[in-house]
Amino acid sequence: MRDEYDDTIAGKKLSPESLMMSYGYRPEWSEGAIKSPIFQTSTFVFESAAEGKRFFALADGEGGSGEKSGLIYSRINNPDLEILEHRLALWDGADRGLVFASGMAAITTALLAYLRPGDVLLHTEPLYGGTDRFVHGILPEFGVRTVEWEPGMSEADVDAALELALPGRRLGAVLMETPANPTNDLFSIAMARRLADGHGEGERRVPVAVDNTFLGPLWQHPLRHGADLVIYSATKYIGGHSDLIAGAVLGCDEMMEPVVGMRTILGSMATPYSSWLMMRSLETLDLRMRRETETAQKIAMFLSAHPKVKEVSYLGLLREGEPGYDIYREQAEGPGAMITFWIDGDEEEAFRFIDSLSLIHLAVSLGSTETLVEHPATMTHACVDPDEKKKLRVNGALVRLSIGVENPDDLIQDISTALEAV
Ligand SMILES: Cc1ncc(COP(=O)(O)O)c(C=O)c1O
């Protein structure tokens, strides 16, 4: 019998989708239950005071020999969180994963683990509205200065912007959202790595963190392209059913260490119940994301041929020579299921389209089994600076669709009927 962390058969490595039902768990631990129970407990009993002392020392990183701490307290560790973290790590080829109470908890904990007052944060634009609020509204109050990396900027352009901001400061971290929410703009992870390496000092590695919510864990693996941390709103494809809020951060042991310590102290971890739900979700991640992507390709093609649609931004429509094409070929493995389009008109026409849909629900969030529509300029990105939104084309005409698992013809019927009403 394979042990709980064996990911091979006769030396051949198994795919993550084959391991999502079993990896990291043994039925003997739970009366033979094929599924892990929900360990709904705040704390764990030590066998002796000496054991408690040893577990705390190991949790504080005093082991050295690779020995891992036993279970202590659910803010520090819990079996449901740990099994889920081991499974998530398989998709991204990470040493270590950590799950959080939300995507925002994951992003803020990771950034707080690395940034210090006076630092510069280089970040791509646009960013999800909540992330934008943290980066532009909160981090400056802690003395962090931001440098914006906008779509289409060359490496020399970004480097020049950094050179202006850096005198007397250090580059604390690079934060990327690629594809960007909501425009699907792409940014090169390899370029971010070069910029980070060009501005580190001595031994200090400047972390490149990629919010991989739109494409991962199936269609993009940032750690393979030079990222140090991959971040998710697990509320989206990982949870996948619009029934939980969670986040995740993954990376190598060394780069994850400050994030582990920060999560323990902030208490920003996921709960055992939502971790258990995510284990269930991961069993169908591959099936869901493939089906959603196939349907999204059909819908994007339908939209791009429609006279009431001005422009569609979908990775599956990118052609050689277009902005983003080379980055897409370099770092993504599939186009995903997020479609953004600009309707022929403005907010009024966009709202008429949205309000005329019947199968597709109007709700923020994405990556779920049901197809969702939203209007970023007035909803998920309402808090972004109006001039920034204008520059980044997050305007009244822009509509965002997250494609689910419904029948593609039914979705096209719904979209077609709603466009007729505009
Ligand atoms: C790209 C991206 N990152 C992060 C978040 C924040 O995640 P959560 O809502 O789970 O906190 C979102 C939420 O929509 C998102 O779209």
Side-chain angles (χ1 to χ4, degrees):
M1 193 177 129
R2 293 171 32 242
D3 81 25
E4 67 269 25
Y5 298 118
D6 189 358
D7 60 355
T8 60
I9 291 180
K12 184 188 175 298
K13 209 165 166 59
L14 299 170
S15 304
E17 62 268 30
S18 302
L19 294 164
M20 285 305 106
M21 285 60 77
S22 57
Y23 191 75
Y25 172 70
R26 284 195 153 204
E28 305 89 281
W29 295 342
S30 316
E31 311 272 2
I34 191 159
K35 297 293 170 191
S36 164
I38 304 170
F39 287 86
Q40 190 64 39
T41 184
S42 58
T43 196
F44 298 86
V45 176
F46 304 132
E47 280 185 1
S48 64
E51 185 181 75
K53 178 180 174 180
R54 195 171 87 248
F55 285 1
F56 266 88
L58 289 168
D60 284 339
E62 288 169 26
S65 61
E67 192 189 349
K68 290 249 163 30
S69 166
L71 294 161
I72 297 177
Y73 182 65
S74 288
R75 176 157 51 75
I76 301 170
N77 51 16
N78 173 288
D80 292 299
L81 276 69
E82 289 192 341
I83 299 166
L84 172 65
E85 288 164 352
H86 286 130
R87 290 184 189 174
L88 274 176
L90 292 175
W91 294 94
D92 276 297
D95 294 341
R96 173 119 209 221
L98 281 180
V99 286
F100 290 83
S102 67
M104 286 312 301
I107 292 166
T108 54
T109 304
L111 289 179
L112 290 173
Y114 277 101
L115 292 174
R116 293 296 172 266
D119 279 359
V120 167
L121 171 70
L122 171 66
H123 71 86
T124 57
E125 280 215 313
L127 290 170
Y128 162 64
T131 312
D132 187 275
R133 171 78 65 97
F134 182 67
V135 163
H136 290 131
I138 297 176
L139 283 180
E141 292 179 0
F142 291 85
V144 173
R145 177 165 174 182
T146 59
V147 170
E148 284 70 40
W149 173 0
E150 291 167 8
M153 279 171 85
S154 68
E155 193 162 342
D157 294 339
V158 182
D159 207 36
L162 274 177
E163 290 299 340
L164 279 180
L166 280 174
R169 295 167 178 268
R170 49 166 223 174
L171 179 60
V174 181
L175 174 66
M176 311 179 72
E177 215 180 79
T178 181
N181 182 1
T183 51
N184 273 331
D185 285 304
L186 295 176
F187 298 86
S188 164
I189 300 167
M191 177 171 148
R193 177 78 270 146
R194 288 193 297 274
L195 288 161
D197 289 347
H199 294 282
E201 313 119 6
E203 295 289 285
R204 188 177 67 92
R205 185 173 171 91
V206 176
V208 172
V210 177
D211 183 332
N212 200 34
T213 299
F214 265 35
L215 284 185
L218 210 66
W219 301 127
Q220 183 168 264
H221 300 98
L223 301 180
R224 292 185 197 155
H225 300 277
D228 300 299
L229 300 174
V230 50
I231 304 182
Y232 292 101
S233 166
T235 312
K236 313 300 186 319
Y237 291 100
I238 292 170
H241 296 75
S242 297
D243 55 8
L244 62 88
I245 298 279
V249 181
L250 302 107
C252 69
D253 281 326
E254 196 185 338
M255 296 305 279
M256 287 298 289
E257 211 172 290
V259 189
V260 173
M262 189 60 77
R263 187 188 73 166
T264 293
I265 296 310
L266 294 183
S268 49
M269 71 292 158
T271 64
Y273 181 51
S274 51
S275 300
W276 181 88
L277 280 173
M278 282 185 274
M279 279 191 243
R280 188 179 171 137
S281 297
L282 283 183
E283 297 186 7
T284 57
L285 179 84
D286 183 90
L287 292 173
R288 285 184 283 111
M289 289 191 80
R290 282 184 198 282
R291 162 70 180 238
E292 288 160 354
T293 299
E294 248 175 59
T295 306
Q297 184 72 44
K298 291 181 188 159
I299 292 174
M301 286 166 73
F302 170 80
L303 284 168
S304 65
H306 200 286
K308 290 187 179 166
V309 173
K310 248 192 174 158
E311 191 184 330
V312 181
S313 177
Y314 176 64
L315 303 189
L317 296 180
L318 283 175
R319 295 288 166 263
E320 204 167 344
E322 289 177 356
Y325 178 81
D326 290 341
I327 300 174
Y328 175 65
R329 294 304 300 256
E330 168 74 26
Q331 69 194 31
E333 289 150 51
M338 294 302 299
I339 302 173
T340 285
F341 68 93
W342 286 266
I343 206 159
D344 189 10
D346 207 336
E347 183 177 300
E348 190 185 336
E349 287 75 17
F351 278 18
R352 187 150 327 133
F353 166 72
I354 289 169
D355 291 339
S356 304
L357 290 164
S358 60
L359 177 63
I360 298 175
H361 291 283
L362 166 58
V364 296
S365 201
L366 60 103
S368 182
T369 43
E370 70 271 292
T371 298
L372 296 176
V373 67
E374 69 116 0
H375 187 254
T378 59
M379 298 171 191
T380 46
H381 294 68
C383 63
V384 177
D385 177 75
D387 292 337
E388 283 299 313
K389 274 196 279 199
K390 202 166 162 194
K391 191 165 62 178
L392 299 165
R393 301 182 64 215
V394 183
N395 54 29
L398 187 152
V399 175
R400 194 189 76 184
L401 286 168
S402 163
I403 304 304
V405 298
E406 301 91 339
N407 181 296
D409 294 337
D410 292 345
L411 290 171
I412 288 174
Q413 185 63 52
D414 196 21
I415 291 168
S416 167
T417 308
L419 282 171
E420 288 313 311
V422 176

